Amino acid sequence: MSARSLTLTSARRRRTDVVARWVLAVATVLALVPLVLVVYYVVNKGASAWNTQFFTKDPTGNSTGFGDEGGLKSAILGTIEIVAIASAIAIPIGIAVALWLTEYHRGGWLGNVVRYFIDVMTGVPAIVFGIFVYLLLVIGQPPASAYAGWKGAIALALLMLPIVARSAEVVLLLVPESLREAALALGAPRWKVIMRIVLPAALPGLLTGSLLAIARAAGETAPLLFTIAVTSGTTFDPGQRMNSLPTQIFNNLNSSSDPGLISRAWGGALVLLAMIFVLNIFARLVSRRSPAIR
Amino acid sequence: MEAGVISRGGGSGIPKRSPRARLADPAFRWALTAMALGLVALIVYFFILLIVKAEPTLSHVGVLSFAFSNNWDFGGEIFKAWPLLVGTLVTSALALLIGVPIAIATALFISELCPRRMRIPLTVLVDLTAAVPSVVFGLWGFFFLAPKLQGTAQWIADRLSFIPIIGGGHAAGPSYFVAGLVLAIMILPIVSAISREVIATVPLDHKEAALALGATRWEMIRMAVLPYSRAGIAGASMLGLGRAIGEAIAVSYVIGGNATLIHHIVEQGDSLAATIARSFNEANANQRGALIACGLLLFVLTLVVNFVARYFVARSTRALRAPPAAEPVASGAV
């Protein structure tokens, strides 16, 4: 009864509302179209390239017309090893920098300077990191050891560092202050509070941030292009030139229009995409079961 | 039975730490400080190194002439990068024009309109788009998007031929237009994720007040949500711009690689980052110097853009910090 006596929203306003809602919904669907198309296309083209040779043989450097083109074994293993080394460098340092920011320098100009530089680092294009490591480590070295897997790993680590540090800072700030105070009141020294209380409490969040950084690094081509060079053979020695999935795909597509090589590149893209999606989904599952932070 | 009386006198009953144990704390602190400051030193050194290595080219060509004169002949070693700089700016501007409205709409839909149980799946899907490697976008753009769009691009170019640059020309497969579109797809999830965070800081009071006054959902968005988060969304777009400017691999596939000043948007062109990715490994010393100078230009450009972006984002999220969001690391895309 009383609702009747209120003035109803005019038809024009209701129409605008409905139209606006539909526009936003359609735009959201539109935003998801590329993902669906990319995944569909990569699976479609890539799955047919997967065979036993794809996973067990190195690229031979041949085009299809001139013999066996080989598989992508060295690229897959190389990507895993390079990203593992990069993670071993970037994750501890990134978390350490985040700890320094949250535990010792929450405010203050020095903390803000470091925070600002991390932001700068986040904005640096991946390819510029590639140039940097090239200038720092590759140029002027004896040709035999100029390009090496570990140099690519350093370039990737530079890319990962700000991502790890930023996400770790956010997570560490969420650890309740009362936990730290309780531990300090019991007489624990600061470093023990950090190692035994703060880090374990923040662990799931730290893990999520690190996994997302790893996923990001695994797909990057640009920092590797000028640092690990091009090679075909499998090696586990990071002092050697190494192959990696992104650079292999990039070079296959750039150097030829051979259908066999391009098909293999699609296969590689599918492996890369699968690896990265698994990492991403895993990262999100970890973050959901985070005990300290509710 | 000993008397077992431990002297309680002498002031402190609390056992003191041994001198060695007391050293652990400062040592730990200094180790962390060394890493944090080392990071700053590294970035400063990075900048100086880039300038030093780009200096021969820049002093040979002249800084202004390098950036703003129109003559890029890589083989002939003439390095005046204006066509590349314009290519970078045109593709990034296109990416913003296409990507940002959709990104904001997506952020608004996910945080204000969609049913609660669809919120997390949609967020995850949008964020997954950000996880697709640029080389895969390049591959897809080159083999799928560019050929598919050629006809459409030509049709639009013909209709709009009265507008210089945007209309006219002969649509090639790879082009500024396709590069801009691929970049739009790549920056969309990032802009959307940051916008979502900014929108989450809009106080519930504002929204409820708007609804209580009889506003429809859309009017609530327009009058309560958007004004409050405008600066933050502007910042998010600028961060997307920074990403678009620096993207090399995907663009190098879909822009064509023709370093002449843009005539028509549907024709082939080139950008700073794409040129570096394509030609660095085969370049001689002079050419490498020029590409390093391009890298420096790119670096400075992204530095400025990011600086402005951070200012906007910080201004809008610092003002009224909402209580921490429920999912702490939803910002993984940043």
Side-chain angles (χ1 to χ4, degrees):
Chain A
M1 276 298 182
S2 60
R4 271 265 167 228
S5 64
L6 289 172
T7 324
L8 285 170
T9 312
S10 76
R12 190 183 54 78
R13 284 175 56 208
R14 264 181 297 162
R15 233 181 2 252
T16 317
D17 184 49
V18 170
V19 170
R21 283 174 188 230
W22 272 105
V23 168
L24 295 187
V26 168
T28 307
V29 173
L30 209 61
L32 295 177
V33 167
L35 179 70
V36 174
L37 284 178
V38 167
V39 171
Y40 172 75
Y41 211 67
V42 170
V43 170
N44 196 11
K45 292 261 178 183
S48 60
W50 282 13
N51 47 33
T52 43
Q53 166 175 299
F54 181 88
F55 291 102
T56 54
K57 284 199 178 150
D58 292 337
T60 54
N62 287 333
S63 303
T64 324
F66 301 92
D68 193 6
E69 79 266 20
L72 283 184
K73 181 180 140 210
S74 63
I76 296 169
L77 294 175
T79 283
I80 293 173
E81 181 169 344
I82 291 173
V83 171
I85 298 173
S87 311
I89 301 168
I91 293 173
I93 298 182
I95 293 178
V97 172
L99 278 175
W100 184 81
L101 285 172
T102 56
E103 307 303 312
Y104 295 108
H105 289 266
R106 272 201 198 180
W109 66 273
L110 198 55
N112 284 334
V113 166
V114 170
R115 236 170 246 122
Y116 176 72
F117 271 85
I118 293 175
D119 282 347
V120 166
M121 218 172 160
T122 316
V124 175
I127 194 150
V128 179
F129 277 130
I131 294 183
F132 175 54
V133 173
Y134 173 82
L135 293 177
L136 193 67
L137 297 172
V138 176
I139 198 170
Q141 300 288 319
S145 61
Y147 295 96
W150 68 271
K151 294 172 185 176
I154 298 240
L156 284 187
L158 287 175
L159 191 94
M160 292 171 71
L161 240 169
I163 307 175
V164 175
R166 256 320 195 186
S167 65
E169 195 196 349
V170 173
V171 174
L172 290 171
L173 279 176
L174 291 176
V175 175
E177 199 58 22
S178 53
L179 278 184
R180 294 189 182 89
E181 283 162 3
L184 285 172
L186 288 173
R190 195 97 213 195
W191 68 270
K192 217 172 218 173
V193 175
I194 292 172
M195 299 303 282
R196 294 279 179 79
I197 307 292
V198 178
L199 282 181
L203 191 64
L206 295 176
L207 209 56
T208 301
S210 305
L211 283 171
L212 288 175
I214 293 172
R216 172 83 199 284
E220 280 293 343
T221 319
L224 299 178
L225 272 182
F226 322 139
T227 49
I228 63 171
V230 188
T231 187
S232 302
T234 301
T235 174
F236 292 103
D237 174 10
Q240 302 282 324
R241 294 178 172 213
M242 287 177 94
N243 202 356
S244 80
L245 275 172
T247 52
Q248 176 74 41
I249 297 169
F250 185 77
N251 287 322
N252 272 156
L253 196 57
N254 258 13
S255 57
S256 78
S257 53
D258 180 275
L261 294 189
I262 286 170
S263 159
R264 195 181 62 188
W266 282 110
L270 181 56
V271 176
L272 196 58
L273 206 59
M275 273 164 54
I276 288 169
F277 278 12
V278 166
L279 278 171
N280 257 277
I281 289 165
F282 190 56
R284 271 161 229 286
L285 290 181
V286 171
S287 82
R288 199 170 296 175
R289 59 187 60 197
S290 127
I293 307 141
R294 289 180 211 280
Chain B
M1 270 253 261
E2 293 283 322
V5 178
I6 299 168
S7 160
R8 296 254 161 165
S12 78
I14 304 163
K16 278 229 168 113
R17 288 188 192 123
S18 72
R20 225 163 50 131
R22 257 182 295 167
L23 265 181
D25 235 10
F28 187 76
R29 182 176 182 160
W30 283 116
L32 291 187
T33 308
M35 277 189 242
L37 297 186
L39 192 71
V40 173
L42 188 74
I43 298 165
V44 172
Y45 177 60
F46 173 22
F47 194 45
I48 294 171
L49 187 67
L50 262 185
I51 292 177
V52 168
K53 296 290 180 174
E55 196 269 338
T57 306
L58 291 179
S59 61
H60 182 71
V61 185
V63 175
L64 287 180
S65 168
F66 177 79
F68 301 117
S69 292
N70 171 21
N71 193 355
W72 181 265
D73 180 358
F74 195 66
E77 301 193 5
I78 302 171
F79 306 119
K80 293 172 178 169
W82 179 238
L84 304 177
L85 182 58
V86 170
T88 295
L89 296 177
V90 166
T91 48
S92 312
L94 263 175
L96 283 193
L97 232 55
I98 303 167
V100 166
I102 300 181
I104 297 172
T106 308
L108 286 173
F109 182 78
I110 290 177
S111 38
E112 302 296 337
L113 292 179
C114 84
R116 185 164 278 280
R117 72 198 137 76
M118 277 172 64
R119 196 171 288 174
I120 289 177
L122 279 178
T123 310
V124 170
L125 280 179
V126 172
D127 285 355
L128 268 189
T129 314
V132 176
S134 53
V135 73
V136 174
F137 269 126
L139 205 61
W140 175 75
F142 184 79
F143 284 106
F144 174 81
L145 201 59
K148 286 264 190 259
L149 280 179
Q150 197 167 355
T152 320
Q154 185 65 60
W155 188 83
I156 297 173
D158 289 344
R159 299 288 97 74
L160 296 178
S161 56
F162 55 91
I163 309 172
I165 296 180
I166 292 175
H170 296 285
S175 65
Y176 290 106
F177 171 67
V178 178
L181 194 59
V182 169
L183 285 177
I185 295 168
M186 294 179 75
I187 67 169
L188 195 154
I190 298 152
V191 178
S192 177
I194 304 170
S195 298
R196 235 172 24 231
E197 266 172 49
V198 172
I199 289 169
T201 64
V202 176
L204 198 57
D205 306 358
H206 291 206
K207 297 195 273 185
E208 283 172 348
L211 290 174
L213 286 171
T216 60
R217 280 264 157 177
W218 166 244
E219 285 163 347
M220 181 268 282
I221 290 172
R222 199 163 54 85
M223 292 166 176
V225 176
L226 283 180
Y228 192 90
S229 47
R230 202 166 39 208
I233 292 175
S237 312
M238 294 290 281
L239 286 177
L241 178 63
R243 190 57 85 74
I245 288 173
E247 178 50 48
I249 302 298
V251 174
S252 77
Y253 284 137
V254 293
I255 198 167
N258 171 21
T260 51
L261 194 62
I262 184 167
H263 289 300
H264 303 290
I265 219 165
V266 294
E267 292 181 346
Q268 304 200 346
D270 214 343
S271 80
L272 287 168
T275 301
I276 301 174
R278 199 181 308 108
S279 0
F280 196 84
N281 271 342
E282 278 92 43
N284 64 32
N286 286 338
Q287 293 169 330
R288 259 183 202 180
L291 292 176
I292 292 166
C294 284
L296 181 65
L297 188 57
L298 204 59
F299 182 58
V300 172
L301 212 57
T302 49
L303 211 61
V304 173
V305 167
N306 278 295
F307 184 77
V308 177
R310 297 284 170 193
Y311 170 75
F312 277 124
V313 172
R315 207 181 63 174
S316 79
T317 47
R318 202 193 301 126
L320 256 173
R321 250 263 182 256
E327 294 99 11
V329 213
S331 56
V334 182

